[in-house]
Amino acid sequence: MSVNQQAHTGPPYGQPQPGYQGYQQPAYGGQSLPGVPQAQYGAYNGPMPGYQQPVPPQGYFPSLGFPSKGSPVSLNSDTSSLAPNFIGSLRAPPTSGAPPPASGASHPSGHLAYSQFEHGDVQNGIPASAAPMQRPPASQPFLPGSAPTPVSQISTFQQYGPPPASVQQLRNHMAGMTIGCTAASAPPPAGLGYGVGPSSYPPTTGAPRPPAMPGPPLPGQTVAGPPSSQPNHVSSPPPPSTMAGLHPGPPMSGLHGPPPPTHPPQPGYQMQQNGSFGQMRGPQPNYGGAYPGAPNYGSPPGPPPPPKRLDPDSIPSPQLNELPPQQKPRHRIDPDAIPSPIQVIEDDRNNRGSEPFVTGVRGQVPPLVTTNFLVKDQGNASPRYIRCTSYNIPCTSDMAKQSQVPLAAVIKPLAALPPEETLPYLVDHGESGPVRCNRCKAYMCPFMQFIEGGRRFQCCFCSCVTEVPPHYFQHLDHTGKRVDFYDRPELSLGSYEFLATVDYCKNNKFPSPPAFIFMIDVSYNAVKSGLVRLICEELKLLLDYLPREGNMEESAIRVGFVTYNKVLHFYNVKSSLAQPQMMVVSDVADMFVPLLDGFLVNVNESRTVIASLLDQIPEMFADTRETETVFAPVIQAGLEALKAAECAGKLFIFHTSLPIAEAPGKLKNRDDRKLINTDKEKTLFQPQTSFYNNLAKDCVAQGCCVDLFLFPNQYLDVATLGVVPYQTGGSIYKYAYFQLETDQYRFLNDLRRDVQKEVGFDAVMRVRTSTGIRATDFFGAFYMSNTTDVEMAGLDCDKTITVEFKHDDKLSEDSGALLQCALLYTSCAGQRRLRIHNLSLNCCTQLADLYRNCETDTLINYLAKYAYRGVLSSPVKTVRDALINQCAQILACYRKNCASPSSAGQLILPECMKLLPVYLNCVLKSDVLQPGPEVTTDDRAYIRQLVTSMDVAETNVFFYPRLLPLTKADIDSGSLPAAIRNSEERLSKGDIYLLENGLNIFVWVGVNVQQGLIQNLFGVSSFSQISNALSTLPVLENPFSKKVRSIVDMLQGQRSRYMKLIIVKQEDKLEMLFKHFLVEDKSLSGGASYVDFLCHMHKEIRQLLS
């Protein structure tokens, strides 16, 4: 992008915004995740500069320019009078930097809320040339994309450099920066450090002004306090208290501060289209011309073209003392001149979405997870099963250490495929079982080399030669390929299944079909909220939809029922009974199952007895006064029942409160916000007691998987209750302040999907690699009793296991590197199977080849999981600093070894890693690493566990949510409107937007939206009548309503959990929550804006290079 663009400054990095008191923020709406096995946080090489800078010189600011596409991205900056390795603390004010005006408050004229910009068009992928793409004109609508969820920070804020001491000092610093761009002076934006009073900059005339931030309320207007920060997962508020609009609960502590100064109106803003304000931009001078088009991934990439740079050193600029006092320059990095996730996503869709991705070529980088593409398996596993951080890995460990790029694979062994792709074929070799290497036990795959006329084969993993069994022998053709190559899936495909023999089964006998046990909390809270009745009604319908094998008429899964409070009630639902029988076990200290016959039954045989039981349960406990519950004995009861039936299975536990009743696994309330930002913060993520770790181990040994549905009204200790679901491969769902009318739809959708989805039981996974690398570390929801086998009582189609690899020898460029993931599991019909996924990668001796074949989305998925495990054993600040340091080292290594020489003032990013800074900043701002004052301990533990088994598509939208302008949707097409970047300055008051992050869907309505649109979407006649309490959009018979509801349904269908719908009116108290997800802006909890963070990364890189 051009350097010749207006610039202005904003609040110093990390400066707290004033908080709003008196509103308790809703907690997360999603679910929780259990504790992770502890592991020591790995050491990083190199310095570990934190965010807290000593006293750096102030005021240096880079302007950013881009070379043409295909070359590495370079952001130009330089200073004539400052140390070359400092990037100043001044920045552009994102519009969200200032608190939003109170409900109903109008903006002071001159402080207008939103301005629009077009997007930077830089493109992702391997540099290559193709058809040129034109840059969109300045007034064009935005291009699509999606954005990470920001996260809030604690009451102590980290500064990236001190704020300017005085306005005069600020002026002097700004004037000292010589970047070849026209700069006009302007009054300070409303968000610049809150100590400054009304604007003391002289008003300038004739100079165009930068876009303004929303102004603070006028004197005399009250601030309708929004919840001061914004969880990544929102739950419904607690039931309304007597005061309308206020949630019950203590007043919030956290973000207090002086009221923001009020600024006089500032003249000189021009109107832009659709009611937003700011300068209109014309075509940019010095723009680097049209971009070459998409890279061609099928052929090996050529060397990247030399980056085209606008070198600031060559641009003459007047010295500070030559400028008249009215023209001190103020610089602002243009947000459109820095890499845009939306543009990268859109380019990849356009370039790679139309052709099928054929997996026959080694080391191909697949299309992005945001691109809709078809996969043709020709010998390597589909990217739906395995994605890697790099598809070209260094030949030596020294090179890997130098680059600091982690080598990891995110594996989703049972991933669901779209209907147009074929499921893995099932191969049955009879009693002899699958053919394997004698030495390393790798399974037959397309990379095995047949020799001696086909009588023997050489293993591609360990090079050992093995005899081909007589029944498997086949002649070779003139190329050395077996003549039955295309008839055998294991010789021609990357993914396939083998039917396992009895040798692969426990105790050398085939398994029984698994069982589902439904365990319902019937304490006072659960009954009173209507939850018990809701669950019983739903189960009557749901039992007809248990998972079944392909063409089976009915499911082989048996079911059982337990209710509990302080004691447990088991039910005999044998088909021969007229009525169900209840048996009570009150000795919870020594749990046993009081009946064997009649507890686990076939649904069809016992249908009438089960229906009778589900009708009776809500009546039986309707008058209960029991408020205390047990938890561990409930899991023990399910485990004992599965042991007695000699089968694997899943427990569905519906639980409402902290288990404080006398029993094994009893917990105490240890919630303590004072530990945040201390060395003891890690204890909040660790389980209270080792009891649950031992219980989880017993569950895994039996194949007993636990799915936990939580309905808390207060602290529940998710970090402890989640241990068993987490280590057994189960899931946690969380519905804080559950209310029947608003939350039942979401809960029932989650329950239906959870019961129906494909799941493997009693699973063991091993990853084999070719000589030179080995799997060293694993992340996900599982248990490990040794260093190689990942054990899961259950593994469903949504769960991923992330594996990190390290060198133990040299690799060769000729042979490349191979991975084979083998998963042994029991299907829902009780069949023992092996699912095999194979992947071949290239190896390189040049760092440029490594950087050209990385995948940023997978890299961020790995880094987030690594950091989220790190908080179990290290202070959060240490974890954050380590992440920043590692990414700075990755980018500094590229700059030093792969980019052509250039001025130190330029930030140069590898083409396929240019989104690393924006995505990394989103991880750093996430609620686990930087919580706001209202984010609860349970929310953080829940999110930590949830992210640990997410796939790449889920972390992509979770950290950088998708923001869609609904008013721009084409009513007649089936497509989504083009996404826009996650920043408040992209929003227009006259439009309606949808933001989704995988857990929530926000519908934001601007104050100036046309009345007709409001009537069409909400069925009310004015903005003020729109209800925040809607949990679904009303069904109205008009094209706009149908289009928006179809978009919501389409997004719900793409996610593994049903997203909570939240209606947000502009200037309403919920808007603060919504703004938390505008992740390119500065967050209220102290998280940096994208522009600021990019400057900070630039400074870190320059320090490493110097």
Side-chain angles (χ1 to χ4, degrees):
M1 299 286 155
S2 159
V3 262
N4 298 357
Q5 293 185 351
Q6 300 300 346
H8 59 238
T9 62
Y13 213 156
Q15 179 132 333
Q17 313 291 13
Y20 293 92
Q21 301 166 30
Y23 280 92
Q24 184 185 5
Q25 181 78 2
Y28 294 46
Q31 298 60 321
S32 68
L33 286 154
V36 184
Q38 294 195 24
Q40 203 45 46
Y41 205 82
Y44 280 78
N45 307 342
M48 294 251 295
Y51 280 33
Q52 198 96 18
Q53 298 304 332
V55 188
Q58 294 179 343
Y60 165 55
F61 218 146
S63 155
L64 302 164
F66 273 108
S68 54
K69 266 198 201 168
S71 62
V73 179
S74 88
L75 306 170
N76 301 331
S77 70
D78 201 29
T79 63
S80 56
S81 56
L82 293 159
N85 58 353
F86 172 67
I87 292 202
S89 61
L90 305 175
R91 69 171 191 101
T95 35
S96 64
S103 300
S106 60
H107 297 281
S109 67
H111 281 128
L112 295 153
Y114 302 104
S115 67
Q116 290 187 340
F117 300 95
E118 81 279 18
H119 296 293
D121 321 24
V122 272
Q123 161 190 332
N124 197 15
I126 301 169
S129 57
M133 272 180 56
Q134 286 311 115
R135 179 159 198 263
S139 60
Q140 185 164 322
F142 303 117
L143 299 158
S146 70
T149 48
V151 181
S152 6
Q153 190 162 1
I154 325 15
S155 346
T156 63
F157 296 88
Q158 298 177 336
Q159 273 294 111
Y160 285 52
S166 71
V167 173
Q168 185 54 46
Q169 200 183 335
L170 218 170
R171 238 186 253 163
N172 298 343
H173 285 320
M174 296 310 300
M177 302 194 300
T178 57
I179 307 168
C181 66
T182 58
S185 67
L192 184 67
Y194 284 109
V196 187
S199 168
S200 46
Y201 279 69
T204 55
T205 51
R209 301 182 186 250
M213 307 172 60
L218 289 167
Q221 286 175 333
T222 53
V223 174
S228 81
S229 165
Q230 17 315 6
N232 267 343
H233 2 271
V234 182
S235 28
S236 39
S241 65
T242 47
M243 256 180 79
L246 279 175
H247 304 327
M252 257 187 30
S253 61
L255 299 172
H256 301 289
T262 55
H263 289 250
Q266 299 164 358
Y269 287 86
Q270 298 144 355
M271 191 73 157
Q272 201 173 337
Q273 342 46 333
N274 69 15
S276 8
F277 293 84
Q279 294 162 222
M280 295 272 280
R281 295 212 178 137
Q284 307 296 330
N286 297 347
Y287 188 67
Y291 288 123
N296 170 10
Y297 285 80
S299 56
K308 178 176 181 217
R309 300 190 185 79
L310 298 165
D311 189 354
D313 293 339
S314 63
I315 300 174
S317 63
Q319 291 306 304
L320 175 61
N321 51 14
E322 295 169 16
L323 291 173
Q326 290 281 319
Q327 289 183 4
K328 304 283 164 106
R330 309 212 30 226
H331 294 279
R332 174 186 198 265
I333 295 178
D334 174 13
D336 291 333
I338 56 181
S340 158
I342 304 308
Q343 188 64 50
V344 168
I345 287 167
E346 186 62 13
D347 289 347
D348 193 74
R349 279 192 185 132
N350 294 336
N351 297 327
R352 309 200 61 193
S354 51
E355 293 295 312
F357 178 68
V358 181
T359 71
V361 181
R362 183 175 84 187
Q364 278 186 106
V365 183
L368 299 181
V369 283
T370 42
T371 298
N372 192 7
F373 60 99
L374 200 65
V375 180
K376 289 195 173 166
D377 185 343
Q378 290 193 358
N380 282 293
S382 160
R384 303 192 205 288
Y385 295 123
I386 307 182
R387 277 188 177 264
C388 294
T389 52
S390 178
Y391 289 80
N392 201 335
I393 61 180
C395 282
T396 64
S397 62
D398 290 345
M399 191 173 153
K401 279 183 191 135
Q402 184 185 0
S403 75
Q404 286 286 310
V405 176
L407 306 176
V410 180
I411 305 173
K412 197 175 180 184
L414 297 179
L417 299 183
E420 53 274 20
E421 291 177 22
T422 44
L423 292 168
Y425 290 98
L426 181 60
V427 178
D428 184 357
H429 281 314
E431 286 181 19
S432 60
V435 177
R436 303 175 69 177
C437 166
N438 272 347
R439 183 196 291 158
C440 71
K441 303 298 180 198
Y443 294 86
M444 179 55 66
C445 71
F447 311 120
M448 299 289 190
Q449 190 65 47
F450 286 88
I451 53 176
E452 296 179 21
R455 285 189 294 279
R456 305 170 91 183
F457 68 90
Q458 183 168 23
C459 178
C460 51
F461 295 95
C462 70
S463 303
C464 173
V465 174
T466 302
E467 293 280 338
V468 173
H471 71 87
Y472 197 71
F473 173 78
Q474 187 51 272
H475 296 286
L476 308 184
D477 66 12
H478 65 286
T479 65
K481 246 186 202 173
R482 284 174 53 122
V483 295
D484 62 353
F485 177 81
Y486 292 107
D487 302 331
R488 291 193 177 272
E490 72 273 24
L491 299 181
S492 54
L493 299 177
S495 302
Y496 42 88
E497 290 197 316
F498 291 120
L499 206 53
T501 59
V502 76
D503 306 335
Y504 293 85
C505 303
K506 263 188 199 161
N507 307 327
N508 272 13
K509 64 177 192 182
F510 285 112
S512 309
F516 283 0
I517 303 176
F518 298 92
M519 316 184 91
I520 305 167
D521 174 347
V522 289
S523 63
Y524 177 75
N525 277 348
V527 174
K528 185 191 67 172
S529 65
L531 182 61
V532 173
R533 186 175 298 279
L534 182 69
I535 292 168
C536 291
E537 288 300 317
E538 180 61 25
L539 287 181
K540 284 194 279 190
L541 305 170
L542 202 48
L543 294 176
D544 286 330
Y545 296 96
L546 299 177
R548 66 188 77 177
E549 209 65 62
N551 48 11
M552 290 172 59
E553 283 189 19
E554 64 176 58
S555 174
I557 292 173
R558 290 170 296 163
V559 297
F561 301 89
V562 172
T563 56
Y564 67 94
N565 40 46
K566 265 171 46 173
V567 298
L568 275 75
H569 322 105
F570 293 79
Y571 296 94
N572 183 347
V573 283
K574 199 172 177 182
S575 55
S576 55
L577 295 174
Q579 283 295 320
Q581 295 172 347
M582 176 162 94
M583 298 183 183
V584 179
V585 176
S586 52
D587 181 7
V588 289
D590 184 19
M591 185 44 63
F592 67 98
V593 180
L595 75 161
L596 291 178
D597 191 26
F599 179 63
L600 293 178
V601 296
N602 174 292
V603 173
N604 282 343
E605 290 170 10
S606 297
R607 184 176 299 278
T608 51
V609 195
I610 292 172
S612 171
L613 169 67
L614 294 172
D615 286 336
Q616 288 175 40
I617 287 174
E619 308 308 327
M620 259 189 290
F621 299 99
D623 302 323
T624 185
R625 286 283 167 269
E626 185 55 74
T627 56
E628 292 188 356
T629 57
V630 296
F631 184 70
V634 181
I635 297 175
Q636 288 171 324
L639 173 61
E640 292 302 324
L642 294 177
K643 272 186 186 168
E646 296 184 348
C647 69
K650 187 182 271 198
L651 313 182
F652 295 84
I653 302 179
F654 305 91
H655 190 77
T656 61
S657 59
L658 190 71
I660 54 173
E662 257 333 303
K666 172 186 173 179
L667 300 178
K668 60 180 190 293
N669 187 335
R670 54 158 186 168
D671 192 15
D672 185 1
R673 293 195 59 84
K674 292 196 288 295
L675 297 181
I676 292 177
N677 272 352
T678 69
D679 285 350
K680 289 189 175 172
E681 184 174 2
K682 60 190 176 209
T683 60
L684 297 174
F685 296 110
Q686 298 165 355
Q688 268 187 52
T689 155
S690 61
F691 181 88
Y692 288 95
N693 294 79
N694 297 328
L695 181 54
K697 185 177 171 182
D698 295 340
C699 287
V700 171
Q702 182 54 43
C704 169
C705 176
V706 177
D707 279 358
L708 182 56
F709 293 81
L710 294 171
F711 306 87
N713 289 333
Q714 57 198 8
Y715 178 70
L716 197 69
D717 203 348
V718 171
T720 306
L721 297 188
V723 168
V724 178
Y726 186 76
Q727 294 192 18
T728 58
S731 304
I732 302 184
Y733 299 84
K734 183 162 159 284
Y735 311 88
Y737 306 111
F738 178 82
Q739 288 178 293
L740 210 58
E741 55 282 3
T742 53
D743 295 314
Q744 67 165 357
Y745 197 64
R746 181 164 59 104
F747 160 58
L748 293 179
N749 272 283
D750 282 341
L751 177 59
R752 284 167 197 158
R753 193 170 188 284
D754 196 57
V755 168
Q756 294 174 39
K757 66 185 172 188
E758 181 187 356
V759 58
F761 294 94
D762 226 347
V764 184
M765 187 184 100
R766 184 176 284 195
V767 178
R768 293 178 173 83
T769 53
S770 54
T771 310
I773 53 169
R774 61 193 172 88
T776 55
D777 209 350
F778 301 85
F779 304 82
F782 52 75
Y783 172 78
M784 291 186 80
S785 57
N786 58 39
T787 57
T788 54
D789 294 334
V790 175
E791 299 172 46
M792 294 154 288
L795 173 68
D796 63 48
C797 55
D798 298 322
K799 294 282 185 305
T800 64
I801 294 95
T802 301
V803 186
E804 186 181 8
F805 303 96
K806 290 263 165 67
H807 287 76
D808 57 6
D809 203 347
K810 283 186 176 167
L811 295 164
S812 91
E813 282 187 284
D814 297 337
S815 54
L818 300 174
L819 316 176
Q820 183 177 81
C821 161
L823 176 79
L824 176 64
Y825 71 99
T826 302
S827 75
C828 57
Q831 202 174 51
R832 203 70 176 145
R833 294 180 175 182
L834 283 152
R835 179 167 290 200
I836 313 295
H837 298 297
N838 303 286
L839 186 64
S840 59
L841 302 172
N842 285 329
C843 296
C844 58
T845 53
Q846 301 297 316
L847 282 164
D849 292 328
L850 164 68
Y851 282 101
R852 209 178 284 135
N853 291 280
C854 287
E855 213 211 12
T856 301
D857 292 325
T858 311
L859 188 58
I860 288 292
N861 179 285
Y862 165 82
L863 290 171
K865 289 172 181 177
Y866 187 69
Y868 281 17
R869 186 176 69 185
V871 298
L872 288 172
S873 51
S874 304
V876 170
K877 184 180 185 310
T878 309
V879 174
R880 291 166 52 83
D881 291 347
L883 270 183
I884 292 170
N885 183 50
Q886 180 167 9
C887 288
Q889 290 198 356
I890 290 171
L891 298 174
C893 174
Y894 174 81
R895 172 67 191 259
K896 183 178 174 185
N897 299 290
C898 308
S900 49
S902 61
S903 119
Q906 289 176 321
L907 171 61
I908 302 177
L909 302 170
E911 180 58 26
C912 61
M913 273 193 196
K914 66 188 172 200
L915 297 182
L916 187 60
V918 62
Y919 286 167
L920 178 70
N921 190 34
C922 297
V923 175
L924 293 169
K925 294 202 290 188
S926 68
D927 288 343
V928 173
L929 299 182
Q930 197 173 25
E934 79 313 318
V935 177
T936 68
T937 308
D938 276 346
D939 294 337
R940 296 177 74 198
Y942 164 66
I943 284 307
R944 194 190 75 75
Q945 295 179 346
L946 191 60
V947 167
T948 306
S949 48
M950 275 186 181
D951 71 12
V952 179
E954 287 171 322
T955 52
N956 173 274
V957 79
F958 180 77
F959 289 116
Y960 194 97
R962 175 151 55 166
L963 182 59
L964 306 173
L966 294 178
T967 29
K968 304 274 194 300
D970 179 356
I971 303 289
D972 302 319
S973 86
S975 60
L976 294 172
I980 60 173
R981 289 172 68 168
N982 277 203
S983 173
E984 190 175 350
E985 62 181 18
R986 311 280 168 176
L987 303 180
S988 152
K989 293 181 177 187
D991 288 327
I992 300 174
Y993 297 86
L994 179 150
L995 182 144
E996 64 124 354
N997 75 337
L999 293 184
N1000 306 299
I1001 290 181
F1002 293 90
V1003 174
W1004 182 90
V1005 187
V1007 287
N1008 294 349
V1009 172
Q1010 294 168 7
Q1011 208 174 328
L1013 284 176
I1014 291 175
Q1015 182 72 51
N1016 283 345
L1017 189 57
F1018 299 104
V1020 295
S1021 55
S1022 71
F1023 178 81
S1024 59
Q1025 292 175 301
I1026 299 170
S1027 164
N1028 282 3
L1030 291 174
S1031 57
T1032 54
L1033 291 170
V1035 177
L1036 303 171
E1037 287 302 313
N1038 65 72
F1040 185 59
S1041 172
K1042 286 178 181 168
K1043 177 66 181 177
V1044 173
R1045 284 183 287 114
S1046 78
I1047 288 174
V1048 170
D1049 291 345
M1050 185 190 301
L1051 298 180
Q1052 293 283 22
Q1054 291 171 7
R1055 306 288 166 224
S1056 61
R1057 293 169 182 241
Y1058 196 83
M1059 294 181 281
K1060 179 184 177 73
L1061 182 74
I1062 299 166
I1063 308 293
V1064 179
K1065 292 152 73 174
Q1066 187 181 357
E1067 296 171 10
D1068 186 69
K1069 61 178 185 288
L1070 271 175
E1071 195 180 28
M1072 297 303 276
L1073 184 60
F1074 172 76
K1075 285 181 180 174
H1076 176 61
F1077 297 94
L1078 299 176
V1079 289
E1080 290 198 20
D1081 297 338
K1082 185 170 176 175
S1083 73
L1084 280 175
S1085 53
S1089 71
Y1090 175 19
V1091 168
D1092 285 357
F1093 186 71
L1094 200 60
C1095 296
H1096 181 70
M1097 285 302 286
H1098 189 185
K1099 189 179 97 186
E1100 295 282 323
I1101 292 164
R1102 291 171 73 159
Q1103 281 178 344
L1104 288 172
L1105 292 175
S1106 62

